[in-house]
Amino acid sequence: MLLEDLAAQDITRKDIYIQFDKLIGIENSDLYNGIAYNELHHIDPEENKFIFPYEMHPGDIVYDGKTYYNILLNYNIYDDVVLVKLKNDLATHTFQLITDKIEAFEVNNSKYKRISGNQLKKIPSGIYKILYTDEIRDIVLMEKLRLKERKNLDDKVTVYMYKKQNSHFVLRKYGELFFLQDKIDFQKVFPGSKKEIVNFYKEYNSLRKSNQSEFMTKLIELLILKK
């Protein structure tokens, strides 16, 4: 019953914020402190740099300490920036938010979080997709999506295309960040599970090559359940 009450409170709080934004006008919010976005390049529509190729989707975002709901947004993977589409009485504007002010956002049932990196641990700063969360054990597996840019001259116009690269994976365990890219990294973080890690890499080698995200998630689940 308590969980249902808390869920109801969250829904009520969300509705209140939505109504508040409508009352003051979203154009008066901090979201308008972003940068007006203009794409400078001709981008291939099929191989572009966004999580949503053709349109923005409604999502929730925590920006500069405040949560905004039902905001049309998109994530530019290559440049690591979030775009939002905002309306006022006169027109619709697309803004590029200041990445350092983004805490997290959720869109299409996927959650993303910005983290500050650590050069010594090879962890890049930026926006990460959350793959797995265990709140009780304070463990979060995150994926840094990556793209490689290439250019093609088509009818005297340079077209920019973006191809998926292997992601970077980061694990937050008890408040500390760890870079995870291979079984050696896993064995350092989970020294008591070296045998299980080696066996998993052997058994799921084809999955590792075809779906890196699913492979990492399944391995983390295995290691967590073992404890």
Side-chain angles (χ1 to χ4, degrees):
M1 192 65 178
L2 179 59
L3 291 177
E4 293 177 358
D5 291 341
L6 289 174
Q9 290 175 20
D10 286 341
I11 293 172
T12 302
R13 190 181 299 113
K14 180 174 180 177
D15 290 338
I16 290 172
Y17 276 117
I18 290 172
Q19 293 303 318
F20 178 76
D21 288 337
K22 286 181 179 178
L23 181 65
I24 67 168
I26 197 70
E27 67 272 17
N28 295 317
S29 72
D30 287 337
L31 292 179
Y32 263 75
N33 290 333
I35 305 165
Y37 182 81
N38 291 300
E39 182 56 60
L40 302 177
H41 303 134
H42 292 276
I43 297 178
D44 187 288
E46 300 299 326
E47 297 183 54
N48 62 74
K49 54 186 176 180
F50 300 97
I51 54 172
F52 306 123
Y54 304 109
E55 59 187 358
M56 294 193 176
H57 287 243
D60 305 334
I61 186 166
V62 183
Y63 184 72
D64 203 17
K66 182 181 175 183
T67 303
Y68 298 87
Y69 298 99
N70 293 343
I71 300 295
L72 289 174
L73 59 84
N74 205 343
Y75 173 46
N76 176 337
I77 299 170
Y78 184 77
D79 298 308
D80 198 39
V81 296
V82 173
L83 307 182
V84 294
K85 185 176 287 187
L86 306 176
K87 295 181 181 179
N88 60 18
D89 294 335
L90 300 176
T92 299
H93 306 275
T94 299
F95 286 91
Q96 172 183 315
L97 298 182
I98 299 169
T99 300
D100 286 347
K101 291 187 176 185
I102 296 171
E103 181 179 330
F105 63 93
E106 182 174 354
V107 61
N108 270 23
N109 297 317
S110 293
K111 296 181 180 181
Y112 298 80
K113 182 178 179 63
R114 182 184 64 81
I115 67 171
S116 297
N118 185 317
Q119 290 186 349
L120 294 177
K121 292 186 175 183
K122 302 183 291 185
I123 299 173
S125 298
I127 295 170
Y128 285 70
K129 183 178 182 179
I130 297 176
L131 298 180
Y132 177 86
T133 302
D134 186 325
E135 294 182 359
I136 296 175
R137 297 177 176 86
D138 190 21
I139 289 178
V140 182
L141 176 65
M142 296 170 283
E143 176 184 15
K144 187 76 184 80
L145 302 172
R146 301 169 66 229
L147 298 173
K148 184 176 182 179
E149 182 182 77
R150 61 189 181 92
K151 305 171 188 177
N152 184 41
L153 189 61
D154 185 9
D155 195 23
K156 298 183 180 180
V157 175
T158 301
V159 178
Y160 286 72
M161 293 169 284
Y162 299 86
K163 186 176 181 180
K164 185 178 178 180
Q165 281 190 302
N166 286 340
S167 297
H168 284 156
F169 294 88
V170 170
L171 183 74
R172 194 190 75 195
K173 182 183 179 186
Y174 309 136
E176 187 175 356
L177 297 177
F178 299 91
F179 182 80
L180 295 179
Q181 208 62 27
D182 54 35
K183 59 186 173 185
I184 295 176
D185 293 328
F186 272 100
Q187 290 171 345
K188 290 178 181 177
V189 180
F190 299 95
S193 303
K194 292 184 177 181
K195 183 178 179 180
E196 289 84 353
I197 293 168
V198 170
N199 290 339
F200 189 90
Y201 264 81
K202 289 180 180 178
E203 183 176 354
Y204 291 96
N205 187 47
S206 58
L207 178 62
R208 181 177 63 85
K209 295 178 180 178
S210 64
N211 193 326
Q212 205 180 6
S213 306
E214 185 178 348
F215 174 87
M216 290 290 194
T217 303
K218 287 176 72 72
L219 179 51
I220 285 294
E221 289 175 338
L222 171 70
L223 298 173
I224 297 304
L225 288 174
K226 181 194 171 189
K227 292 186 175 296

